[in-house]
Amino acid sequence: MKAGHISVIGLGPGNAGQVTPEANAAVAAAKWFYGYGPYVDRLDLRFDQIKVASDNREEISRAQAALEKAAQGERVAVVSGGDPGVFAMAAAVCEAIEAGPAEWRDIELTVVPGITAMLAVAARIGAPLGHDFCAISLSDNLKPWDIIEKRLQAAASAGFVIALYNPISKARPWQLGKAFELLRTILPETTPIIFGRAAGRPDEKMVVTPLGAADAGQADMATCVIIGSAETRIIDRGALPALVYTPRFLNAAQGANS
Amino acid sequence: MKAGHISVIGLGPGNAGQVTPEANAAVAAAKWFYGYGPYVDRLDLRFDQIKVASDNREEISRAQAALEKAAQGERVAVVSGGDPGVFAMAAAVCEAIEAGPAEWRDIELTVVPGITAMLAVAARIGAPLGHDFCAISLSDNLKPWDIIEKRLQAAASAGFVIALYNPISKARPWQLGKAFELLRTILPETTPIIFGRAAGRPDEKMVVTPLGAADAGQADMATCVIIGSAETRIIDRGALPALVYTPRFLNAAQGANS
C-alpha cells in the first residue's frame, strides 16, 4: 500500500492575519484533520474534509491516530496553535514514528512553522526577546520539577530572557508562583515581567509588572509569561503604552554597533 | 506636528509562503522602507513607495533615520528577515527611541512578528526545538566573548537545545569553532548538530552531523546552527531524510502523557 502524507501545521496565535499562506495551502491539501478541539475549530474546512478533534492531554494518541490514517495512504494534517515545533505536536508525531511500526517511517512528513506565542507577545510589547533568550515549558507533567528549577536558575543566572510556556493550569496551580519565588533570589525586584495573554486575539491582554510584584494569579492557560533579564528596559511613553525591550548589546561591547 | 507611524515588519525566512498576511498589509500601508539591502530587495513595492536600503552593520543609524522620517508624520516601515524581535531591528528601534528626542516617544510603533530562522530550520528537519531551548547570538560585536561562553556553558549544562544566530562571518571567523570546542566538553560527541542554511529558500541546505565531527566551515552567514541536547534523537527513515527531534518528556516524567 502507498504511504500517505502527514503535515504538522502551525496555525499561529489565533488570528487569520498571522496564518502563513504555506499553512493555508497545507490545510487545503489535507483531508483528515487531527488536533486539540479549539485548534481544529479554527479551521474553515470544505465538505470533503474531516475533523477529528481530541482533548488537550492526548498528544501521543492523537499523533498515533493521525499516523495510522496516513499509513492508509491518506492526506492527513495535525494542527497546532502557534508553531508546531515549540512544545507542540511536531515532537509528539516524531515520538510516535520512532516508537511505532516500521511502515510509519515511510510516511512523508512536512512540518509547517507558525508564529509561536512568545514572538506574538514580544511584538505587542516592544522587543523583550531582542537579545539571548530561552523558552521553558513550566509543565512538570513531562519533566521533574527539579529540572525546571535547575533550568530557570541556569537561564536567569546567565542573563537569558525567559519565555515560560504552559505557566499554569487547574492541575498545576503552584508552579508559576514557585518559579517567581526562585527568580526573585536571582534577578532584581524591578525586572520586567510580561503576562502576555491571547496575543493577537480579541481577548488579548498584556500586563507588565516588576518581578517583585508578579503574582501567578495574573496568568492562565492562554498566557505566555516573559521574564526580563537584568538588561531589559522599559520606555515610558506617556499616552502610548510603555515599550519593553532587551538591548542588542551588553556591557563592554556597548557602542560597538554591528 | 502630527507624529507618524513606524512598523517593524518580519518578512520571515525568505519565501512568500512564509510571509504573514499581517506583514503584507503592513507593507502595503507604509510609504518609506528602511532595511538591510537584501531584505528591502524582497519587497515588491508600488511606484509611490520608497526604499532606503542600508548596510548590515548600521542598525542604529537605520533606526534613527526611520524614526526621523516618522516624526515628520510619515508612514514608515523597517523590514527585517525572520522575526524583527529576534536579534533584529525591533530592539534597535527601541534603543533609538529611548536615546532619542522626546517626540520620538509619540510615534506610534507596531511590531509585526515573523517566522524566525530557528523555527524554519527546525520545521525542515523534524522537531529539534520540541522541548526547552534557547537562542544565542554568537556575535561578539555586541557582547564580550566570555559572556557568550558562559551562556553556552549554562545552556548546554542545563539541558537546553541551543539555536545559534549569527554563527560566523568574515569578521568573526573563529567563534563557532571555539563554541563547538566548548560544547564538546559538556555534551556527548554524538549530539546532533543541525546546520540549517537558507531554510525555505531556493538555496536551502540542511546538514545534520554529530558534535564530534561538527566543523565551523559548514556554516555561513545564512546559517542557523541548532545544537541538540543529550535528549535529542535521530530517526533513520531509509529513503526519506532522517528526522531530528527532542522529545517532550524527560526522565522520571516519561510516560506521564499530558
Side-chain angles (χ1 to χ4, degrees):
Chain A
M1 169 150 27
K2 194 189 158 294
H5 184 276
I6 192 164
S7 291
V8 189
I9 305 173
L11 297 177
N15 70 80
Q18 292 180 331
V19 182
T20 65
E22 184 182 57
N24 285 323
V27 168
K31 177 172 176 184
W32 297 88
F33 293 83
Y34 292 79
Y36 173 46
Y39 300 144
V40 171
D41 285 343
R42 284 195 204 161
L43 302 169
D44 187 18
L45 299 180
R46 301 183 308 264
F47 75 96
D48 61 318
Q49 295 178 307
I50 300 158
K51 294 183 186 182
V52 187
S54 48
D55 192 70
N56 201 8
R57 299 164 72 86
E58 295 175 354
E59 295 187 341
I60 269 293
S61 54
R62 180 191 307 143
Q64 288 163 339
L67 286 159
E68 267 169 34
K69 185 60 76 178
Q72 294 164 14
E74 299 280 348
R75 292 195 68 90
V76 173
V78 176
V79 296
S80 274
D83 181 274
V86 176
F87 307 118
M89 286 302 298
V93 169
C94 289
E95 286 164 38
I97 290 172
E98 188 173 21
E103 59 264 32
W104 286 3
R105 298 186 184 212
D106 299 330
I107 298 169
E108 269 189 87
L109 172 68
T110 309
V111 180
V112 179
I115 305 289
T116 183
M118 65 181 167
L119 301 186
V121 169
R124 298 302 266 175
I125 212 90
L129 307 179
H131 204 69
D132 301 337
F133 63 93
C134 66
I136 300 179
S137 170
L138 216 58
S139 169
D140 56 353
N141 293 327
L142 297 169
K143 59 181 177 287
W145 178 252
D146 64 323
I147 295 279
I148 297 177
E149 289 205 332
K150 183 183 154 203
R151 290 184 182 172
L152 288 168
Q153 173 100 40
S157 303
F160 288 96
V161 170
I162 302 170
L164 295 178
Y165 282 69
N166 306 318
I168 201 161
S169 74
K170 274 180 193 156
R172 295 180 293 100
W174 56 262
Q175 286 80 349
L176 181 59
K178 192 95 174 159
F180 287 147
E181 266 177 47
L182 170 67
L183 292 166
R184 284 188 193 107
T185 67
I186 304 164
L187 296 168
E189 292 274 298
T190 53
T191 306
I193 308 296
I194 299 160
F195 292 89
R197 186 180 185 283
R201 300 204 292 271
D203 51 341
E204 171 179 306
K205 189 175 175 195
M206 296 287 143
V207 173
V208 181
T209 192
L211 176 57
D215 169 11
Q218 295 169 274
D220 67 8
M221 281 180 65
T223 306
C224 179
V225 179
I226 299 179
I227 318 285
S229 72
E231 308 296 322
T232 304
R233 303 181 60 78
I234 298 183
I235 309 175
D236 186 39
R237 293 194 299 167
L240 292 173
L243 294 173
V244 183
Y245 81 101
T246 306
R248 299 161 306 135
F249 53 80
L250 185 67
N251 303 330
Q254 264 191 51
N257 176 40
S258 161
Chain B
M1 168 152 24
K2 193 190 158 294
H5 184 277
I6 191 163
S7 291
V8 189
I9 305 172
L11 297 177
N15 71 80
Q18 292 180 332
V19 182
T20 66
E22 184 181 56
N24 285 323
V27 168
K31 178 171 176 182
W32 298 88
F33 293 83
Y34 292 78
Y36 173 46
Y39 300 144
V40 171
D41 285 343
R42 284 195 205 162
L43 302 168
D44 187 18
L45 299 180
R46 302 183 306 265
F47 75 95
D48 62 318
Q49 294 178 307
I50 300 158
K51 294 183 186 180
V52 187
S54 48
D55 192 69
N56 202 7
R57 301 164 70 87
E58 296 175 353
E59 295 186 341
I60 270 292
S61 53
R62 180 191 307 145
Q64 290 164 337
L67 286 160
E68 267 170 33
K69 184 61 77 179
Q72 294 164 14
E74 298 279 351
R75 292 196 68 89
V76 173
V78 176
V79 295
S80 274
D83 181 274
V86 176
F87 308 117
M89 287 303 298
V93 168
C94 289
E95 286 163 38
I97 290 172
E98 189 175 19
E103 61 263 32
W104 286 4
R105 297 187 184 211
D106 299 330
I107 298 169
E108 267 189 87
L109 171 69
T110 309
V111 179
V112 179
I115 306 289
T116 185
M118 65 182 166
L119 301 186
V121 168
R124 299 300 266 175
I125 211 88
L129 307 179
H131 205 68
D132 301 337
F133 64 93
C134 65
I136 300 178
S137 169
L138 217 59
S139 169
D140 56 353
N141 292 328
L142 297 169
K143 58 181 177 287
W145 178 252
D146 64 322
I147 294 280
I148 297 176
E149 289 204 332
K150 182 183 154 201
R151 291 185 181 170
L152 288 168
Q153 173 101 41
S157 303
F160 289 96
V161 171
I162 302 170
L164 295 177
Y165 283 69
N166 305 318
I168 201 163
S169 74
K170 274 180 194 156
R172 294 181 292 100
W174 55 263
Q175 285 81 349
L176 181 58
K178 192 95 173 156
F180 286 147
E181 267 177 46
L182 170 67
L183 292 166
R184 283 187 195 110
T185 67
I186 304 164
L187 296 168
E189 293 274 299
T190 52
T191 306
I193 308 296
I194 300 160
F195 292 89
R197 187 179 185 284
R201 300 203 293 271
D203 51 341
E204 171 178 307
K205 190 174 177 196
M206 296 288 142
V207 174
V208 181
T209 191
L211 176 58
D215 169 11
Q218 294 169 273
D220 66 9
M221 282 180 65
T223 306
C224 179
V225 178
I226 298 179
I227 318 285
S229 71
E231 308 296 322
T232 304
R233 302 182 60 79
I234 298 182
I235 308 175
D236 186 38
R237 295 193 298 167
L240 292 173
L243 294 173
V244 183
Y245 81 101
T246 307
R248 299 161 308 133
F249 54 79
L250 185 66
N251 303 330
Q254 264 190 50
N257 177 39
S258 162

